[in-house]
Amino acid sequence: MKYLKLLPLFAFAFLFGTISAQAQESASLEQVGPIKATLMVRNGALMVDVREKDEVAELAYDVENIINIPLSELESRLSEIPKDKQLVMACRSGNRSRQAANILIKNGYTNLVNLEGGMLAWQEKNLAVIQGGKSTKKAACCADPKSKNCNPDGTCKTPAKG
């Protein structure tokens, strides 16, 4: 009988341990903003968009190195995600991509970051998207996007007025 009195305590300890482990996984995952994510992808990282296909068809990240694997399909499609590349996990707001990153970490992936704020933050920074099949990407201001005259997103810096 005395063991029954301890059951709620064991249940609480188990639940707290599970929540604590999930919080630790998420805490160790590096969060990057849209500009840093853009630079990472431009320098060879692969963006993994975990939104559903209908969301991507409506509004997509306009970057070259990107794959779409919905969170709902992620565990069955792990073989499509390289372990030897830097990964930038992305979604609409940053929540599903954080969940996806935790799944990848549990499956041995180590070189990944999460796009903090997802597509919402991406749009807030006016970064290029594909909407209705049309890109909003602006032409780079120069042949070398790493030039001091270019912003990180490839647009021209506004000359300082003196």
Side-chain angles (χ1 to χ4, degrees):
M1 193 69 167
K2 66 179 180 180
Y3 295 112
L4 289 176
K5 292 179 182 178
L6 293 176
L7 190 59
L9 181 61
F10 288 128
F12 174 77
F14 175 77
L15 182 61
F16 181 76
T18 302
I19 292 170
S20 178
Q22 290 173 346
Q24 286 177 337
E25 285 173 356
S26 293
S28 65
L29 178 63
E30 182 183 354
Q31 304 292 313
V32 299
I35 300 296
K36 185 169 182 180
T38 301
L39 293 172
M40 292 173 75
V41 171
R42 190 177 292 158
N43 289 322
L46 176 65
M47 184 176 276
V48 181
D49 186 346
V50 297
R51 295 177 300 146
E52 295 298 320
K53 292 189 184 314
D54 60 328
E55 293 176 90
V56 174
E58 188 177 309
L59 184 69
Y61 294 95
D62 194 356
V63 296
E64 288 186 29
N65 297 323
I66 188 167
I67 58 173
N68 172 234
I69 301 179
L71 179 59
S72 61
E73 301 172 14
L74 186 67
E75 291 193 72
S76 65
R77 296 177 60 187
L78 288 174
S79 63
E80 297 175 42
I81 304 171
K83 285 188 174 181
D84 62 344
K85 276 192 161 227
Q86 170 86 49
L87 304 174
V88 177
M89 306 305 293
C91 65
R92 180 184 161 274
S93 66
N95 292 326
R96 282 178 283 175
S97 55
R98 190 177 310 110
Q99 291 173 34
N102 287 331
I103 291 169
L104 293 179
I105 290 167
K106 286 178 185 174
N107 282 278
Y109 290 80
T110 57
N111 195 10
L112 54 126
V113 299
N114 187 51
L115 173 56
E116 188 173 29
M119 178 59 81
L120 298 175
W122 188 270
Q123 288 183 291
E124 191 174 288
K125 293 290 185 185
N126 293 316
L127 295 172
V129 295
I130 299 171
Q131 192 166 20
K134 295 184 181 181
S135 174
T136 62
K137 190 178 282 186
K138 300 168 186 149
C141 64
C142 51
D144 179 10
K146 295 180 182 178
S147 163
K148 65 180 180 176
N149 297 322
C150 290
N151 290 315
D153 65 356
T155 59
C156 296
K157 287 185 178 177
T158 307
K161 295 181 181 179

